[in-house]
Amino acid sequence: MTSHSSPMIMAEVEDPIANMIQPQPPYTGQIFQPTQTFTPTTSQPFYGNSFEDEPPLLEELGINFDHIWQKTLTVLHPLKVADGSIMNETDLAGPMVFCLAFGATLLLAGKIQFGYVYGISAIGCLGMFCLLNLMSMTGVSFGCVASVLGYCLLPMILLSSFAVIFSLQGMVGIILTAGIIGWCSFSASKIFISALAMEGQQLLVAYPCALLYGVFALISVF
């Protein structure tokens, strides 16, 4: 009885172990690839897919020839009403050209004064910036002040051009110089009054402008 029961007990012990070992499936050569949970979206360019959709280079630099021409006409025509929306822009392309032209005409007269031109311009713009911010209710940026004063330097270029051919140290030169100073200061004050809504204060603004352009006139005459 004992001899017959021992093989049966061993078979019962071995059967659970055989059931736990599962046969491995044969390798078929396939590599597991994870499923994609999102769909990639193509990035949209800022200006479009072609160069035709990009803005012009002058527009990116803030140079508008139409506004430059309108500001120049406003300075050349002192009685013309200034457009405050255009004059309140920070446009330094025209003033830089006018400063270079003023220095070039002085150079033709034998006066190398580029350093004085830019130094006096910087000090004058800083002084007018502080003064206009104290006088106006809305305030003004330094770039706007530099832009207006630079555009109104245009009549002074005419004075320095006359100094290349004629002497301005006589009575005619004094009268012409005084007229140019009044022209520049009246144009600048008119633009400031229109841009900053400072009605009734044009004479108060024109006086410091006349002092600034008077220094440029002294450089042109002497």
Side-chain angles (χ1 to χ4, degrees):
M1 180 70 180
T2 304
S3 61
H4 292 288
S5 60
S6 59
M8 295 178 62
I9 294 173
M10 294 295 295
E12 291 177 358
V13 173
E14 292 176 355
D15 287 340
I17 299 175
N19 293 332
M20 292 175 62
I21 301 175
Q22 298 294 333
Q24 296 292 332
Y27 177 70
T28 58
Q30 296 181 355
I31 301 175
F32 175 75
Q33 296 180 356
T35 59
Q36 192 172 10
T37 58
F38 68 96
T39 57
T41 59
T42 58
S43 59
Q44 297 293 332
F46 186 75
Y47 290 119
N49 296 323
S50 62
F51 291 103
E52 297 178 355
D53 298 331
E54 295 184 0
L57 179 61
L58 295 178
E59 182 179 347
E60 292 183 353
L61 296 176
I63 300 176
N64 192 330
F65 287 106
D66 184 35
H67 289 181
I68 292 175
W69 178 246
Q70 292 184 18
K71 293 178 182 179
T72 304
L73 290 180
T74 303
V75 174
L76 292 177
H77 197 301
L79 300 179
K80 181 181 178 182
V81 179
D83 189 357
S85 60
I86 296 178
M87 295 302 169
N88 206 12
E89 296 177 353
T90 304
D91 173 26
L92 298 179
M96 289 295 293
V97 173
F98 292 156
C99 285
L100 288 175
F102 182 61
T105 52
L106 291 177
L107 184 62
L108 292 176
K111 305 172 185 177
I112 306 176
Q113 306 290 353
F114 284 98
Y116 286 103
V117 170
Y118 285 105
I120 295 171
S121 299
I123 296 174
C125 291
L126 182 61
M128 288 298 299
F129 169 73
C130 297
L131 181 63
L132 290 174
N133 278 309
L134 292 174
M135 294 177 62
S136 64
M137 299 296 295
T138 58
V140 64
S141 64
F142 183 81
C144 178
V145 174
S147 176
V148 172
L149 293 177
Y151 273 104
C152 293
L153 191 65
L154 180 58
M156 199 62 61
I157 299 175
L158 302 177
L159 180 65
S160 60
S161 300
F162 281 118
V164 176
I165 304 174
F166 307 103
S167 176
L168 299 176
Q169 298 183 10
M171 183 59 65
V172 178
I174 293 175
I175 296 174
L176 180 62
T177 303
I180 293 294
I181 293 174
W183 186 358
C184 294
S185 60
F186 182 79
S187 298
S189 61
K190 176 189 65 175
I191 295 173
F192 282 131
I193 294 302
S194 175
L196 302 178
M198 299 169 57
E199 288 79 7
Q201 304 182 39
Q202 185 169 0
L203 292 178
L204 297 176
V205 178
Y207 176 69
C209 293
L211 295 179
L212 174 61
Y213 291 115
V215 178
F216 289 119
L218 290 177
I219 297 176
S220 302
V221 174
F222 300 103

